[in-house]
Amino acid sequence: MGSIELSAVEKWYGEVQVIKGIDLAIDEGEFVIFVGPSGCGKSTLLRMIGGLEEISRGSLAINGTDVTDQPPSKRGLSMVFQSYALYPHMSVADNMGFSLKTAGAPQSEITAKVSEAARVLKLEDYLDRRPRDLSGGQRQRVAIGRSIVRDPTAFLFDEPLSNLDAALRVEMRYEIAKLHQSLGRTMIYVTHDQVEAMTLADRIVVLEFGTIAQVGTPRELYESPANLFVAQFIGSPAMNIMSCSASGGQYTLWGGRGGTGPNGAVKLGIRPEHITLGTPGDGQADGVVDVAEYHGSDTFLIIDGAELGRITVRVVGNTGLRDGDRVGLTFAPEHTHFFDAQGLALARP
Ligand code: ADP
Ligand code: MG
């Protein structure tokens, strides 16, 4: 129970196509995250799965049954939104049990299910309160509790943490991970925050203008981005991208030196933690330290690479380097990424 399959799913608003043919199979119990910049179609895709938006073309199956034309109530899914959408005049317990009550469930069953959800979400002490007397994180937990009592086949979350402050987001992220562990249910979760995506997902779906840029585990996307879009979207600070040319199995950076690289490469990518610092003339390029951002556990050095542009280097702990120091930059060859003129990744030679 809990597999979801999209086949050639499209969404058109009049003449405008916002979802452009999505094929995706989600396994039972999987935690899948849709991530991408604002407006790329994440919410639209999630709402089509939930039945809140019509599917213009293509089909959707849940547990092997075609539900493309079924209303939300027949799909067995439950949605949690960014705005908690709680009833202000009802207690926490009544909010959580409301859907069971309208479905005509006996009071004993409602009480049992609400108590169990409250236990899982640590809301037992708040069952008699009104939503206005709760913190943002507690309200979000009530909204999640309302989904749990319905015992859905799968949970759909649309940016559930976006309204919370940074510290609470980290706490709720942990709680959602625990919830997935304990319930073992399929979860589809939309976010524009790549840290949430990396930390929570079994698999990430990166969306770009209504198409899938790449699907994979967080590690696959981080280590082997299929294209420039994913390379620059996943990872913080972002991957450094530089222009190059390549022939005869060797690449040359514009404004730098080179190494072994695939023919046809026009861009080289290297993550900040895969560059080591040395003396000018070392490695692939030289640059001047522009700013050193000390973060405690790491320092991010922003290097002015002249023609190469700005290059970020991550150093564990601190460094004795200061603004204006000249350095040589060595790129770990096993961690260089190459992209062709279409922005597609090329295999390292
Ligand atoms: P995301 O959740 O990734 O930010 P959305 O799924 O909300 O993006 O929107 C995707 C695109 O669809 C956007 O360009 C948005 O303007 C467009 N869109 C969403 N709803 C409608 C609508 N009812 N009519 C026309 N265009 C819409
Ligand atoms: Mg959205």
Side-chain angles (χ1 to χ4, degrees), residues 158-199:
D158 194 351
E159 309 231 12
L161 310 186
S162 295
N163 282 349
L164 306 178
D165 65 45
L168 204 49
R169 268 208 308 274
V170 173
E171 172 63 21
M172 284 300 292
R173 204 166 75 202
Y174 165 81
E175 292 191 12
I176 286 176
K178 296 299 289 181
L179 196 65
H180 181 247
Q181 278 177 9
S182 64
L183 299 176
R185 284 297 154 85
T186 308
M187 294 187 172
I188 308 179
Y189 185 109
V190 162
T191 179
H192 63 269
D193 178 352
Q194 57 102 4
V195 177
E196 263 173 45
M198 291 294 279
T199 52

Side-chain angles (χ1 to χ4, degrees), residues 242-244 250-261 268-270 274-287 305 308 311 327-336 338:
M242 295 160 228
S243 294
C244 67
Q250 294 287 314
Y251 76 88
T252 307
L253 290 169
W254 294 14
R257 295 176 289 274
T260 308
L268 172 145
I270 183 96
H274 297 142
I275 302 176
T276 48
L277 297 165
T279 49
D282 284 354
Q284 277 62 45
D286 294 339
L308 286 165
I311 303 167
V327 290
L329 305 172
T330 300
F331 302 165
E334 69 279 21
H335 291 297
T336 48
F338 295 96

Side-chain angles (χ1 to χ4, degrees), residues 13 16 18-19 36-45 53 158-159 190:
Y13 289 112
V16 183
V18 300
I19 297 292
S38 181
C40 69
K42 305 178 295 292
S43 295
T44 304
L45 192 57
E53 290 282 354
D158 194 351
E159 309 231 12
V190 162

Side-chain angles (χ1 to χ4, degrees), residues 302-314:
I302 321 292
I303 310 277
D304 177 358
E307 272 179 84
L308 286 165
R310 197 187 286 163
I311 303 167
T312 305
V313 180
R314 177 182 215 145

Side-chain angles (χ1 to χ4, degrees), residues 197-229:
M198 291 294 279
T199 52
L200 285 172
D202 292 322
R203 278 194 305 158
I204 298 175
V205 178
V206 183
L207 291 171
E208 179 188 18
F209 298 125
T211 62
I212 294 181
Q214 191 172 359
V215 184
T217 63
R219 193 162 166 193
E220 282 164 355
L221 298 194
Y222 194 78
E223 294 182 353
S224 311
N227 48 58
L228 266 176
F229 182 79

